[in-house]
Amino acid sequence: MSKYILYFKQAWQLMRQEKLFSAIYIVGTGLSITVVMVLSIVFYIKIANVYPETNRDRTLIVLYGAEESEGNSSSGMISVHLIETCFRSLESAETVTAVYNTWGNEDYVQPEGSNEQLPVTAKYVDDRFWTVFPFRFVNGKPFTEADFSSAIPTAVIAESLAKRLFGSADAEGKQVSLNFRQFRVCGVVKDASYATERSYAQLWAPYTVEPNHKLAFGQGNSLGPMSAFILAPSAGEVELVREEALDNIKKYNRTLDKTELSLHGQPDRQWQALFRITSNGSPDFNKIRLQYLFVFLILLLVPAVSLSGMTDSRMERRLSEIGVRRAFGAPVSTTVIQIITENLLFSLIGGLAGLLFSYLAVWLGRSWIMILGGTVMAFTAEGTEVTVSPAMLMNFTVFSIALGICFVLNLLSALIPAWKSAHRPIVHSLNAKL
């Protein structure tokens, strides 16, 4: 252990002596890690289990469907009829929730005693929504199955909206006017992030209050205004649930006359649904994975090649030093380890700077950077602030990625130059000073 401490002390002294090289190396490492980390953080927020979408790893999503009948085709979101026929009956699923999509309709709340029209993002859901998306209730509770079935105008509102309307989160039992219709507030939840688009809203109401929620079109009445979220009992049972859902679709198709419903590979996992933006086809997920892998590799390799060139040039200037060490019996492995240790110190400092700067970049650019793969922008009230909680940024996964990137950059940029320099003939190294 003392040997490696000595290596780091020598590396620190060398860094102080070669300030320009050190600064360029650290900045190059930091910029590379910043770009990679920004992408990593965005994907983490979009795919990992984050509040209130803490069940993403065991949730399957059905957004669209397509019907083909005698040469004619139609596609769109799915209907309540399809959800009740094919998904509510899933024996392997824990529960299934449906969300009514308003296709960008604007919703307004009318504060009591004011002529102001307050724009809000409203979402129309069923009573099972709160099981799939376990919001934290700070006051009251969700609307019940009886409220939902009877189309009683009740609503759950976000804590920020409650404070704006009533001055505090203690809003249970109070009335809120949504589009000039009175709703009784049954509960108040901790605000969700704008980035969690599947669950995000400022007000949630039973979709049964919407007269068009049973709208169905297509030859088999399979298409409509809904999306479905299927919750598996555990992450390990997701594929079992998916296979049963696909089997139910096959059975459903056998009941249709000269019509076939296709979900184009759905139900999707969270990351797949992120890239499903059209209703009449399926993304090539293998191609998408390869594309993003290629992007990550380029972002790592380009700076690594540049830093490797810098390291190689630096090794040429240190050949005489390396020759003297080897002449006094220093083994090749010791020389290589010392050079890699020096570069590791540069990489760690650059990695720390890049990690901090990536957090800053995500926070400052949160209003547009979270649009990646999402459609929430079209349905969100004007003036809604994008929030990124510390839990989304500071987590074990992100830190592991940062450390892994530092390690990879260090190996890519230092190993080859160090190996070449350490294996030069001792006479050549000693004469390099001349």
Side-chain angles (χ1 to χ4, degrees):
M1 179 63 70
S2 59
K3 178 174 65 175
Y4 294 105
I5 294 175
L6 178 61
Y7 289 161
F8 273 106
K9 286 182 178 179
Q10 291 174 343
W12 178 254
Q13 291 299 325
L14 185 65
M15 186 173 68
R16 295 178 62 185
Q17 293 171 9
E18 301 183 351
K19 294 180 180 179
L20 179 61
F21 172 84
S22 302
I24 295 174
Y25 197 104
I26 289 171
V27 170
T29 303
L31 289 177
S32 176
I33 287 181
T34 295
V35 176
V36 174
M37 284 304 300
V38 166
L39 286 176
S40 300
I41 291 169
V42 170
F43 276 108
Y44 179 86
I45 293 173
K46 289 286 188 178
I47 296 172
N49 293 339
V50 297
Y51 174 83
E53 299 178 9
T54 52
N55 291 324
R56 282 175 172 173
D57 61 339
R58 60 188 185 106
T59 300
L60 290 166
I61 303 171
V62 183
L63 299 176
Y64 307 113
E67 280 192 3
E68 292 189 6
S69 177
E70 298 180 337
N72 297 319
S73 63
S74 55
S75 62
M77 293 184 174
I78 58 177
S79 66
V80 170
H81 168 71
L82 180 66
I83 295 173
E84 292 178 345
T85 304
C86 296
F87 304 136
R88 296 284 194 199
S89 59
L90 290 172
E91 295 180 0
S92 56
E94 180 177 323
T95 191
V96 177
T97 186
V99 175
Y100 176 77
N101 299 285
T102 57
W103 291 299
N105 289 350
E106 295 181 344
D107 294 289
Y108 293 90
V109 165
Q110 295 76 41
E112 188 176 355
S114 172
N115 295 325
E116 180 185 10
Q117 293 280 352
L118 181 63
V120 296
T121 301
K123 194 177 288 290
Y124 299 89
V125 301
D126 58 22
D127 56 291
R128 305 182 188 191
F129 178 85
W130 310 105
T131 301
V132 178
F133 303 105
F135 280 78
R136 299 190 196 113
F137 278 79
V138 297
N139 183 242
K141 56 187 178 181
F143 50 79
T144 65
E145 182 180 1
D147 295 332
F148 171 78
S149 300
S150 303
I152 296 176
T154 56
V156 173
I157 62 175
E159 185 176 11
S160 59
L161 181 60
K163 290 179 178 179
R164 186 167 182 178
L165 293 176
F166 308 113
S168 74
D170 187 15
E172 182 184 9
K174 296 182 179 179
Q175 296 290 317
V176 59
S177 174
L178 175 66
N179 300 327
F180 299 99
R181 182 177 181 181
Q182 292 296 315
F183 285 76
R184 179 182 62 84
V185 176
C186 62
V188 179
V189 296
K190 176 180 171 59
D191 283 69
S193 171
Y194 178 90
T196 54
E197 63 173 303
R198 306 298 177 195
S199 59
Y200 175 82
Q202 295 162 301
L203 184 150
W204 298 261
Y207 68 68
T208 47
V209 303
E210 285 290 312
N212 294 325
H213 74 274
K214 287 190 176 182
L215 177 69
F217 60 93
Q219 297 295 322
N221 290 327
S222 309
L223 309 178
M226 311 299 292
S227 302
F229 299 85
I230 307 167
L231 185 65
S234 67
E237 297 175 85
V238 168
E239 281 304 312
L240 177 65
V241 175
R242 185 174 183 275
E243 289 300 321
E244 186 185 355
L246 293 175
D247 188 56
N248 281 2
I249 293 297
K250 291 179 182 178
K251 294 176 182 177
Y252 177 77
N253 274 324
R254 289 197 287 268
T255 68
L256 303 179
D257 182 25
K258 298 180 181 180
T259 300
E260 183 175 358
L261 170 70
S262 173
L263 298 183
H264 295 296
Q266 298 173 97
D268 287 333
R269 290 178 177 267
Q270 170 68 20
W271 76 268
Q272 293 172 319
L274 187 66
F275 296 101
R276 190 176 291 276
I277 58 177
T278 62
S279 61
N280 56 1
S282 177
D284 187 340
F285 293 118
N286 288 329
K287 182 179 179 181
I288 290 171
R289 276 194 291 243
L290 289 175
Q291 287 174 337
Y292 277 94
L293 177 61
F294 179 75
V295 169
F296 272 86
L297 287 176
I298 290 297
L299 292 174
L300 283 174
L301 287 176
V302 169
V305 169
S306 300
L307 295 175
S308 180
M310 292 177 58
T311 304
D312 192 46
S313 175
R314 178 165 160 264
M315 289 299 100
E316 289 293 329
R317 297 197 304 271
R318 296 179 62 191
L319 277 178
S320 59
E321 173 195 336
I322 295 171
V324 171
R325 289 183 181 181
R326 292 195 59 201
F328 279 93
V332 171
S333 59
T334 301
T335 304
V336 172
I337 292 173
Q338 181 174 354
I339 295 171
I340 291 178
T341 303
E342 292 171 0
N343 280 59
L344 180 60
L345 179 61
F346 293 146
S347 296
L348 287 175
I349 296 174
L352 180 60
L355 182 65
L356 295 175
F357 190 73
S358 67
Y359 289 155
L360 181 63
V362 170
W363 187 79
L364 292 176
R366 62 194 184 279
S367 296
W368 57 270
I369 204 169
M370 290 303 164
I371 301 173
L372 175 65
T375 55
V376 71
M377 287 290 287
F379 307 110
T380 306
E382 182 181 356
T384 300
E385 182 181 359
V386 182
T387 58
V388 179
S389 68
M392 292 179 176
L393 299 178
M394 305 219 172
N395 53 76
F396 178 76
T397 302
V398 171
F399 278 117
S400 298
I401 291 172
L403 290 175
I405 291 172
C406 288
F407 181 72
V408 170
L409 274 176
N410 177 66
L411 286 181
L412 290 176
S413 62
L415 186 58
I416 295 176
W419 187 263
K420 284 172 54 181
S421 299
H423 281 79
R424 292 281 183 89
I426 295 177
V427 174
H428 175 81
S429 299
L430 290 173
N431 290 334
K433 186 177 182 180
L434 300 176

